[in-house]
Amino acid sequence: MYDLLIRQAKIPDGSLTDIAIHSGKIAAIGSLDSSVTANRILDLHGKVFVSAGWIDSHVHCYIKSPIYHDEPDLVGIASGVTTVIDAGSTGANDVDDFYQQTRQAKTNVFVFLNIARTGIVTQNELADMAQIDKVGVRDAIARNPGFIIGIKARMSSSVVGQNGIKPLVVAKEIQQENAGLPLMVHIGNNPPDLDEIADLLTSGDIITHCYNGKPNRILSPEGVLRGSIKRALSRGVLLDVGHGSASFSFEVAELAIQQGITPHTISSDIYCRNRINGPVHSLAAVMSKFFTVGMSLEQVIDCVTCNAADALHLRSKGRLEVGADADLTLFELQHAPKVFLDSEGFSVTGEHHLVPLAAVVAGVTLFTDEGRSNDVFKC
Ligand SMILES: [Zn+2]
C-alpha cells in the first residue's frame, strides 16, 4: 500500500505515467497495474503535467533581511516550487537564525552563504574586505551542514566599491578550503569587468544574472558572445538566469539563445517587491518567458529540475525516478496570449504559459490557488 498514487500524469515529453509515493520517496513509476492501491489516489486523466519538483536556484527569502526579503512558502509552494535556494541574503552572522526560521516552511530551503559576514544588509557588502572572514564562513558551514549548499559573491561595482576583482579571488580560496562547494557569482555593472570575472571561474561555478542588459553583459556591443564567456562555458562554468528587478533583458536572452547559449538553470531572484509588483511575479512566469525566446517545454523544465539539482549537488532531487525524493510539481500549459515584461521595460507577448497547480513535497500535496479551483482535482 503506497501513501499516494498519481494516475495518468502527463510528463513534459507528452507521454503518460503513473507515480507511486511511499515514505516521502518515489517508490514506483511507469504504467502500474490497476490492482496497485494507495491511501490517496490522484487521477490526472492525462490532463495535467507532472515533473520533478521545481527548484528555484536564486531567491531571497530571509524575512528579517532589510532590503530583499520574503517568506519561503510565498516564493515556493504557493507557486508550485518545491525547493528554493536563497542566494546570499545571509552571511555567517545571520545564517543560524535563517536556518531556524525556515524550519516552519513547507518549501525546502537551502542557502548560498554570502562570503560577507553581514549578507545583504547593505547594498555594498564587499566594499570592505574585512567583511570577508574565512574562519567565519568555515564555521558557519560546519554548523549548518546540508543547509548551506554553496557560497555567493556579488561582483558588481555598487557591491565591491574600490575592491575590483579582489573579493572573487578570496571567494575562490574559500571554495577550495570548503570541499569545492558550488560558487554563485552575481554579475552587473563594472568594475570589475566581466572578462576578469569569467577568467577566474572554473567548472561548476555559476554566473547568475546571465542575460542582464547592462553594458557589462555576456554579449559584445555587436551582439556576439564574449570570448571570455565562451572559454568559461567550455571549462564547465554554468549560466543561471536570476531574472530579478534589474537583470533580465529579452534582447540579450534572445540573441544569446540564437547562438546556442541556453541557460543551465532558470531562476527568479524573487523577493516580495518584484513578486508583487513584477517584473518577476513567480518562477513560472520567468520560465514562461523562455518559450518566447525559442526554448521548448522540456528544455525549460530541465532548467528547474535535473540541471538545477546537478548544479546545486542536490542528488536526491530533480528527477522522476525510483528512490528520489517525492518532490513533484503539477502544472498546466495554458494556450492564451499573455504579455511579459523584462527588467528593461520591454514587453513580449507569449502564446502559452505555465500555470502551477500543486507542489508535492516529500509526498505531501499542497495545492496552489489555481489548483484549488481546478476541476481536475474536484472528482
Ligand atoms: Zn539576488
Side-chain angles (χ1 to χ4, degrees):
M1 172 84 88
Y2 295 114
D3 297 330
L4 173 65
L5 176 60
I6 300 177
R7 288 280 189 196
Q8 297 201 74
K10 189 159 59 167
I11 57 174
D13 72 6
S15 62
L16 299 185
T17 191
D18 304 324
I19 303 166
I21 289 169
H22 191 68
S23 296
K25 299 281 182 186
I26 296 176
I29 185 160
S31 184
L32 303 178
D33 194 85
S34 57
S35 63
V36 171
T37 187
N39 290 326
R40 188 151 181 266
I41 296 175
L42 202 56
D43 195 334
L44 302 180
H45 305 285
K47 291 178 181 163
V48 172
F49 280 104
V50 174
S51 69
W54 294 353
I55 301 168
D56 193 338
S57 314
H58 184 162
V59 308
H60 294 280
C61 63
Y62 179 45
I63 197 72
K64 294 187 191 167
S65 188
I67 312 170
Y68 305 108
H69 54 82
D70 212 328
E71 291 181 36
D73 288 342
L74 293 179
V75 298
I77 51 131
S79 51
V81 176
T82 56
T83 298
V84 298
I85 293 70
D86 182 280
S89 300
T90 57
N93 288 358
D94 299 305
V95 72
D96 304 79
D97 182 57
F98 190 15
Y99 174 78
Q100 290 305 330
Q101 299 271 322
T102 58
R103 293 312 90 191
Q104 287 96 44
K106 296 186 176 88
T107 310
N108 300 302
V109 183
F110 301 99
V111 304
F112 282 105
L113 186 75
N114 198 310
I115 59 167
R117 65 162 76 91
T118 56
I120 314 178
V121 169
T122 56
Q123 301 265 34
N124 63 343
E125 73 267 14
L126 297 176
D128 176 3
M129 292 298 285
Q131 292 287 355
I132 311 174
D133 170 5
K134 285 186 174 182
V135 175
V137 170
R138 185 197 65 197
D139 291 351
I141 293 169
R143 290 194 306 272
N144 295 280
F147 182 57
I148 298 174
I149 58 158
I151 54 172
K152 173 93 185 275
R154 298 203 307 147
M155 294 301 298
S156 54
S157 59
S158 58
V159 181
V160 302
Q162 302 298 310
N163 287 326
I165 198 72
K166 280 193 281 181
L168 185 58
V169 173
V170 181
K172 290 297 289 177
E173 291 169 4
I174 290 172
Q175 180 189 36
Q176 281 180 1
E177 291 162 15
N178 291 280
L181 280 175
L183 165 66
M184 177 179 272
V185 178
H186 142 132
I187 61 170
N189 288 318
N190 62 329
D193 193 79
L194 181 55
D195 296 334
E196 254 187 302
I197 295 171
D199 285 345
L200 274 182
L201 301 181
T202 54
S203 179
D205 291 345
I206 302 162
I207 293 176
T208 191
H209 308 313
C210 68
Y211 300 132
N212 79 73
K214 295 164 188 170
N216 200 28
R217 64 180 76 173
I218 63 169
L219 303 177
S220 72
E222 298 75 37
V224 178
L225 189 71
R226 285 180 188 236
S228 63
I229 296 293
K230 203 173 186 177
R231 291 192 298 277
L233 293 175
S234 68
R235 292 196 299 277
V237 170
L238 308 174
L239 296 180
D240 173 62
V241 170
H243 186 303
S245 307
S247 300
F248 179 75
S249 155
F250 272 125
E251 186 195 0
V252 173
E254 191 160 23
L255 280 170
I257 289 167
Q258 278 169 7
Q259 294 169 56
I261 313 303
T262 50
H264 294 93
T265 50
I266 295 177
S267 67
S268 64
D269 193 14
I270 198 168
Y271 74 110
C272 61
R273 209 173 313 155
N274 68 25
R275 171 171 60 80
I276 296 164
N277 301 332
V280 173
H281 297 297
S282 67
L283 181 63
V286 175
M287 291 160 70
S288 299
K289 293 179 188 184
F290 284 85
F291 299 139
T292 73
V293 289
M295 285 175 65
S296 68
L297 176 65
E298 285 178 270
Q299 284 178 306
V300 166
I301 296 297
D302 281 354
C303 286
V304 299
T305 55
C306 51
N307 291 5
D310 291 347
L312 305 165
H313 303 180
L314 297 173
R315 311 217 185 274
S316 60
K317 300 196 183 296
R319 287 180 172 82
L320 289 179
E321 59 189 24
V322 171
D325 291 349
D327 291 354
L328 313 172
T329 299
L330 279 58
F331 62 96
E332 280 182 336
L333 187 63
Q334 270 185 16
H335 298 272
K338 188 173 167 114
V339 176
F340 293 106
L341 271 182
D342 69 6
S343 308
E344 306 281 321
F346 287 99
S347 66
V348 169
T349 303
E351 290 164 11
H352 44 269
H353 60 274
L354 296 161
V355 179
L357 302 177
V360 176
V361 180
V364 177
T365 309
L366 303 150
F367 290 101
T368 63
D369 288 345
E370 294 86 351
R372 272 187 284 274
S373 57
N374 194 296
D375 292 340
V376 178
F377 303 117
K378 283 184 179 153
C379 45

